[in-house]
Amino acid sequence: MMVIIGEKINTSIKSTQSAVENEDRTFIEELAKNQVEAGAAYIDVNCGTFAGQEAKKMEWLIQVIQGKVDTPLCIDSPNAKAIEAGLKINRNVKPIINSITAEKERWNAILPLALEYNTSLIALCMDDDGIPDEPQKRLKIANRIAEEMVRKGIKLDDIFFDPMVKPISTDNQSAVLTLETMRLIKKEIPEAHIICGLSNVSFGLPVRRLLNTSFFVSAIFAGLDAAIMNPLDNKLMAIIYATEALSGKDEYCMEYISKYREGSLET
Amino acid sequence: MMVIIGEKINTSIKSTQSAVENEDRTFIEELAKNQVEAGAAYIDVNCGTFAGQEAKKMEWLIQVIQGKVDTPLCIDSPNAKAIEAGLKINRNVKPIINSITAEKERWNAILPLALEYNTSLIALCMDDDGIPDEPQKRLKIANRIAEEMVRKGIKLDDIFFDPMVKPISTDNQSAVLTLETMRLIKKEIPEAHIICGLSNVSFGLPVRRLLNTSFFVSAIFAGLDAAIMNPLDNKLMAIIYATEALSGKDEYCMEYISKYREGSLET
């Protein structure tokens, strides 16, 4: 079933930002607990808005969260120092680093941390030339990342590839290209996971929920098996259960029917 | 863009059944007009509940509808006599016969009508052995139907293939098999259309709208370009506009944005 990474502990969300500023432990603890209860297998932790204090805030957040839940964390930053501070203090089981790319500088800064702290990784299909348009070229980056990681001893099961999606408002074909990339990666590297941001695709357009939902459904059929999302969004969770049943991953529709009995299938 | 066949004039719907029983012309006229205004390119006409009087009721319905709108009709019956009665009285442009199959008896009864009255056809991917499980075998039936129809002078553009979908409650893989069949037909016979019932897939399960929506989205990505559906269902229509934008069929998302401006994007 879908690996859900709860996205709410991110300081780009105003209420989370205030809670971190005011060191409101209870708010963060509740946010962690509620996401876990709603089905999150990981808790994303992002405090990128605190330029200059990111590492300190990361430490504080992780201490608070792991005092409340033992769910593994998804340590989310482009900044190796903040990631390292998080990894050092983390006591919950195997975390994910969010994220690495094939860009030389980022690769060299992040990969040693993954090895030292034995983490999983979210790997974006981009390198120093950016995000290629062609699915085959994105696959090539994924293959290169997989090969080098496996050579270093990382298991494919610990890699979450993000095929990257641009807004369809700037490129009509962007969702189609991303879905094709997912299918290619799923076929060539079936042991690895596929993850994707759900909301970038609709940037610049109205009623984004419609576009995000539609993209999510088609992505699950294309091989998506992990998502950084809001597990407290009941409508989106219901769409996941329905799509997993439809895509043949939910034997006898048992999970779907049990969610219905719990009263959690909202339309 | 999606060819929408309005499904509301079907006597399996109670209110339509009563209107036909009471010869309530205004009710049927409004149903036709409202569906056309909501975006139906065809009006389905089905009075299969009137066993023994189906041909008479079909004539009455078509006279009423074509008195109000000039939208082409989708004459919907497994009964060749009812279809012929409908075709004889029809004055609107090129209708669709719904439906033919590769079953010998049905083929021999329906095909001559399509040729005599120059109609389009909905062709179900089944023959005298039933609906095969394997997508390749369903494709084989589609290919046989296409070849024989083209030999008789029917254009591929006038054929709407229905790949058939069984309920996932009885076969976990049924949606996946149907979507694969769509992709195969789209690839091998790109000039033909692909149509599918949206609701059979969820038979026997709760909150069917969730499953139907998810199936519809994935079907559009797999090549579906026509649907017998309720165009007065604003939520479903909104999902179509979103999915057409995502699947790259709506250039610059113009249609999506214009539907938003009209206030018709409901979530």
Side-chain angles (χ1 to χ4, degrees):
Chain A
M1 305 296 284
M2 177 76 51
V3 174
I4 291 164
I5 302 174
E7 71 181 7
K8 300 288 285 179
I9 302 182
N10 186 318
T11 56
S12 71
I13 300 168
K14 268 190 196 156
S15 53
T16 304
Q17 167 80 12
S18 312
V20 176
E21 267 169 9
N22 306 323
E23 304 214 335
D24 182 346
R25 300 180 65 92
T26 314
F27 184 93
I28 298 297
E29 286 171 352
E30 287 303 297
L31 219 45
K33 190 177 127 263
N34 293 342
Q35 290 186 94
V36 172
E37 285 176 0
Y42 290 86
I43 302 290
D44 195 73
V45 190
N46 181 317
C47 47
T49 55
F50 287 91
Q53 311 173 62
E54 195 184 350
K56 272 210 118 44
K57 296 300 183 186
M58 183 66 87
E59 284 176 6
W60 180 81
L61 276 167
I62 291 177
Q63 273 183 315
V64 173
I65 299 165
Q66 68 192 4
K68 186 71 177 181
V69 298
D70 54 12
T71 309
L73 305 179
C74 178
I75 299 175
D76 183 359
S77 173
N79 172 351
K81 289 225 169 89
I83 292 176
E84 186 163 20
L87 291 170
K88 236 177 215 155
I89 212 146
N90 170 65
R91 294 292 165 268
N92 287 3
V93 291
K94 196 167 192 164
I96 304 181
I97 292 177
N98 181 10
S99 54
I100 195 168
T101 68
E103 294 161 301
K104 204 162 245 166
E105 200 180 333
R106 190 145 163 190
W107 179 269
N108 290 335
I110 305 288
L111 190 64
L113 296 175
L115 295 169
E116 183 179 347
Y117 291 93
N118 183 31
T119 77
S120 299
L121 287 138
I122 293 177
L124 316 184
C125 293
M126 62 181 292
D127 60 15
D128 286 305
D129 297 323
I131 306 166
D133 278 337
E134 301 82 346
Q136 285 289 354
K137 287 194 185 162
R138 291 193 210 175
L139 171 66
K140 215 169 155 180
I141 296 178
N143 270 327
R144 210 167 69 217
I145 290 174
E147 271 171 39
E148 296 193 27
M149 285 190 180
V150 167
R151 192 178 316 137
K152 298 281 192 183
I154 293 172
K155 279 180 292 188
L156 288 173
D157 185 44
D158 287 331
I159 309 175
F160 292 76
F161 284 109
D162 183 336
M164 309 292 283
V165 64
K166 296 176 191 171
I168 55 165
S169 55
T170 57
D171 174 5
N172 217 228
Q173 294 302 311
S174 72
V176 172
L177 295 173
T178 298
L179 294 166
E180 180 58 19
T181 306
M182 288 182 185
R183 274 188 284 269
L184 291 173
I185 296 176
K186 193 76 206 162
K187 205 175 160 197
E188 287 235 356
I189 323 176
E191 307 92 334
H193 298 279
I194 298 178
I195 196 166
C196 195
L198 295 183
S199 59
N200 199 37
V201 75
S202 62
F203 183 80
L205 289 168
V207 205
R208 295 179 63 179
R209 168 182 281 275
L210 271 178
L211 297 161
N212 297 348
T213 302
S214 175
F215 180 64
F216 200 17
V217 168
S218 49
I220 294 173
F221 275 97
L224 187 83
D225 62 2
I228 303 183
M229 56 169 279
N230 178 7
L232 306 172
D233 180 337
N234 294 333
K235 284 189 184 184
L236 204 53
M237 292 296 281
I239 280 284
I240 296 180
Y241 300 127
T243 307
E244 298 224 308
L246 273 175
S247 60
K249 291 172 194 159
D250 176 10
E251 214 173 351
Y252 304 114
C253 307
M254 297 275 277
E255 175 93 358
Y256 183 79
I257 292 166
S258 92
K259 289 297 167 188
Y260 168 68
R261 290 189 178 139
E262 284 171 20
S264 17
L265 293 187
E266 217 173 276
T267 61
Chain B
M1 303 297 282
M2 178 75 52
V3 174
I4 291 163
I5 302 175
E7 71 182 8
K8 299 288 285 178
I9 302 183
N10 186 318
T11 57
S12 70
I13 299 167
K14 267 186 196 161
S15 53
T16 304
Q17 169 79 12
S18 313
V20 176
E21 267 168 8
N22 306 324
E23 303 214 335
D24 182 346
R25 300 180 65 93
T26 315
F27 184 94
I28 299 296
E29 286 172 351
E30 287 303 297
L31 221 43
K33 191 177 125 261
N34 292 342
Q35 291 186 96
V36 172
E37 285 175 359
Y42 290 86
I43 301 290
D44 195 72
V45 190
N46 180 317
C47 47
T49 55
F50 287 92
Q53 311 172 61
E54 194 185 349
K56 272 211 117 43
K57 296 300 184 187
M58 184 66 87
E59 284 177 5
W60 181 80
L61 276 168
I62 290 178
Q63 274 184 316
V64 173
I65 298 165
Q66 68 193 3
K68 187 71 178 181
V69 299
D70 53 13
T71 309
L73 305 178
C74 177
I75 298 176
D76 183 0
S77 174
N79 173 351
K81 289 226 168 89
I83 291 175
E84 186 163 19
L87 291 170
K88 235 176 214 158
I89 212 145
N90 170 63
R91 293 293 165 266
N92 287 2
V93 290
K94 196 166 194 166
I96 303 182
I97 293 177
N98 181 10
S99 55
I100 194 166
T101 68
E103 294 162 300
K104 204 160 247 170
E105 201 181 329
R106 190 146 164 191
W107 179 269
N108 289 334
I110 304 289
L111 190 64
L113 296 175
L115 295 169
E116 184 178 346
Y117 291 92
N118 183 33
T119 76
S120 299
L121 288 137
I122 293 176
L124 316 184
C125 294
M126 61 181 293
D127 61 16
D128 287 305
D129 296 325
I131 306 166
D133 278 337
E134 302 82 347
Q136 284 289 352
K137 287 194 184 162
R138 292 193 209 175
L139 171 67
K140 216 168 155 181
I141 296 177
N143 269 327
R144 210 167 69 218
I145 290 174
E147 271 171 38
E148 296 193 27
M149 286 190 180
V150 166
R151 193 178 316 138
K152 299 281 191 183
I154 293 171
K155 277 179 293 188
L156 289 173
D157 184 45
D158 287 331
I159 310 175
F160 291 76
F161 285 109
D162 183 337
M164 308 294 282
V165 65
K166 296 176 190 170
I168 55 165
S169 54
T170 59
D171 173 4
N172 216 228
Q173 293 301 311
S174 73
V176 172
L177 294 173
T178 298
L179 294 166
E180 179 59 17
T181 307
M182 288 182 185
R183 275 188 284 269
L184 290 173
I185 296 176
K186 193 76 207 165
K187 203 175 160 196
E188 286 236 356
I189 324 176
E191 307 90 334
H193 297 278
I194 298 178
I195 195 166
C196 195
L198 295 184
S199 59
N200 199 38
V201 75
S202 61
F203 184 80
L205 289 169
V207 205
R208 296 180 64 180
R209 168 182 281 274
L210 270 178
L211 296 160
N212 297 348
T213 301
S214 175
F215 179 64
F216 200 17
V217 167
S218 49
I220 293 173
F221 275 97
L224 187 84
D225 61 2
I228 302 182
M229 57 169 278
N230 178 7
L232 305 172
D233 180 336
N234 294 333
K235 283 189 185 186
L236 205 52
M237 292 296 281
I239 281 286
I240 296 179
Y241 300 127
T243 307
E244 298 223 309
L246 273 174
S247 61
K249 291 172 193 156
D250 177 9
E251 214 173 351
Y252 303 114
C253 307
M254 297 274 277
E255 175 93 358
Y256 183 80
I257 292 167
S258 92
K259 290 296 167 188
Y260 168 68
R261 289 191 178 141
E262 284 170 20
S264 17
L265 294 187
E266 218 172 278
T267 59

